[in-house]
Amino acid sequence: MADQGLDLGVRARLAGGRLVLNPAARVTVTGTGPAAVPTRASAHAYAVRRAQLHRRLVYAPAPVVPLHWLSLLPLALWRSLVQLVGKRPAAVLPEWAAAVAAAVHLPSVAKARARLRTSRRAGWASVEPLRVSGSELRRRLDDGHGSEQGAVSELRFFSGGGAWAVLAALVVGIASFVSLLAWPAIGGGGLLPLRTTVAALWRDAGWGQRGLGVDVIGPADPFAGVIAVLGTLWPAAPSYSLVLLWLLALPFAVLGGWFAATRVTDRSGLRILGGLLWALAPTFLTALTDGRPAAVIAHLLLPWLFHAASVAHRSWGAAGAASLLLVGVVACAPSLAPHWRCCGRSRSSSPSPIASGTAPCAWSGCRSPPPSSSRR
């Protein structure tokens, strides 16, 4: 069956032949026989993976075949982990069975390589027209910006005016906070200069002494981790990252609102309107003028959370991104956690990301009494 898994088109091209499509041709397929693909899920997965590994060993150049053979079991281990993360445990055993079978059945590989070598009349360049380009493969595997069927709609970020809206917001943002260009740090309201080194920021985001009382040791507030990530973006002077945040807050808000609107509408005007309305939200502008970094960062992350969570049910990459964004949003605005738990409907609505970010504080609060309590 492994020999029958060889692609007929590839073998015909290597033999110097060509395939001609006949629109009037009819192909009869039977579900039984030695060449039939198994219908059972595990047997089908084994057959497909076995054929893939066999073709890899047969088509590879001779010096590379030992490397492919040595990589069979490590690759099976890696793919098994991927299958478990993707919640497909039924594919783990077929993966290992196919790897072991490909590693053991070397005589069939030798026979197939011998037949390919004797029938080959053309080089591998003749097979190039049959291969899918990298961009085409990414387009087919993209789970999507568009419909549930995976059709990818055009963003039209430049042609639709989204880039011009972001550029206009950048000009307005710099004009509104032009004095910040000469400042090494920003203060006032809830803003204070950050630590002078990135290492100190991450120490504050971990476990240590807290300013809640005398000799109070415990975990940091989750928002300290957000500040540590923000300060890391400008390691030479972490406090200057807040200055840049205030200068770029308006264009980032327009950009996030525009991308969130792409999940709702294909009309360029409505996308621009969504970005502008999100950037001109009174709560966001008030947070900028009052110097409240948590509210500003939460406002900037929310549209990206919506953008990722809206397709998290059909993409593990989007689900992972939504989970990380959810941790950042809840760290900035803990009051949003109950609402997300009640209204979430996607893979990223699992409470585990939030629990992982807030567990140290919750455990410390349950373990020890508040610093102000006293025994009588």
Side-chain angles (χ1 to χ4, degrees):
M1 180 171 179
D3 288 339
Q4 296 167 353
L6 291 172
D7 184 79
L8 295 178
V10 173
R11 287 191 292 173
R13 289 291 182 112
L14 292 177
R18 291 293 185 270
L19 295 179
V20 179
L21 299 180
N22 185 4
R26 296 293 182 267
V27 179
T28 302
V29 179
T30 59
T32 59
V37 178
T39 56
R40 199 157 46 94
S42 59
H44 183 272
Y46 167 79
V48 171
R49 186 56 182 163
R50 176 75 173 87
Q52 291 175 351
L53 296 176
H54 181 82
R55 286 196 301 270
R56 182 176 301 173
L57 294 173
V58 171
Y59 288 163
V64 185
V65 172
L67 298 179
H68 281 305
W69 186 83
L70 292 174
S71 66
L72 289 176
L73 295 183
L75 186 60
L77 176 60
W78 168 253
R79 287 175 59 90
S80 299
L81 295 176
V82 173
Q83 301 287 4
L84 291 176
V85 172
K87 295 186 178 181
R88 296 182 294 271
V92 173
L93 289 180
E95 179 69 35
W96 281 97
V100 172
V104 171
H105 291 85
L106 292 180
S108 62
V109 174
K111 293 179 182 179
R113 290 182 64 88
R115 285 195 297 268
L116 181 64
R117 186 168 53 252
T118 55
S119 63
R120 180 176 172 180
R121 298 293 182 271
W124 285 101
S126 62
V127 187
E128 287 299 325
L130 302 178
R131 302 184 64 182
V132 179
S133 63
S135 58
E136 178 69 14
L137 184 61
R138 286 191 296 269
R139 188 188 69 81
R140 293 184 182 182
L141 296 180
D142 196 329
D143 56 5
H145 184 82
S147 67
E148 290 291 330
Q149 287 75 24
V152 182
S153 63
E154 294 292 336
L155 286 177
R156 301 191 305 275
F157 179 65
F158 292 95
S159 61
W164 293 106
V166 174
L167 182 60
L170 176 62
V171 174
V172 174
I174 294 178
S176 302
F177 301 101
V178 64
S179 59
L180 296 182
L181 294 174
W183 293 2
I186 187 173
L191 290 168
L192 290 174
L194 303 182
R195 296 283 192 175
T196 57
T197 63
V198 174
L201 282 177
W202 285 105
R203 281 197 302 269
D204 290 343
W207 189 283
Q209 188 171 0
R210 303 296 160 206
L212 302 176
V214 180
D215 295 334
V216 176
I217 298 177
D221 186 270
F223 183 64
V226 178
I227 292 297
V229 173
L230 183 63
T232 306
L233 299 179
W234 198 270
S239 295
Y240 196 67
S241 60
L242 288 176
V243 178
L244 294 177
L245 175 64
W246 247 245
L247 290 172
L248 301 177
L250 284 176
F252 279 169
V254 173
L255 183 64
W258 188 91
F259 268 94
T262 60
R263 297 299 192 194
V264 181
T265 179
D266 289 332
R267 300 179 61 179
S268 300
L270 293 180
R271 291 177 175 182
I272 295 175
L273 179 62
L276 294 178
L277 291 179
W278 186 254
L280 297 177
T283 53
F284 178 58
L285 298 179
T286 302
L288 285 175
T289 56
D290 291 349
R292 292 188 280 119
V296 171
I297 297 175
H299 191 89
L300 295 179
L301 292 180
L302 278 173
W304 295 104
L305 175 59
F306 173 79
H307 185 270
S310 60
V311 293
H313 61 284
R314 52 193 169 97
S315 169
W316 285 105
S323 298
L324 294 178
L325 291 169
L326 178 60
V327 171
V329 169
V330 173
C332 297
S335 59
L336 296 178
H339 174 75
W340 185 267
R341 185 175 64 250
C342 295
C343 301
R345 289 291 183 268
S346 65
R347 295 175 180 175
S348 60
S349 61
S350 171
S352 57
I354 304 176
S356 63
T358 58
C361 283
W363 179 79
S364 178
C366 296
R367 181 171 175 267
S368 59
S372 58
S373 63
S374 59
R375 298 181 180 179
R376 294 183 180 181

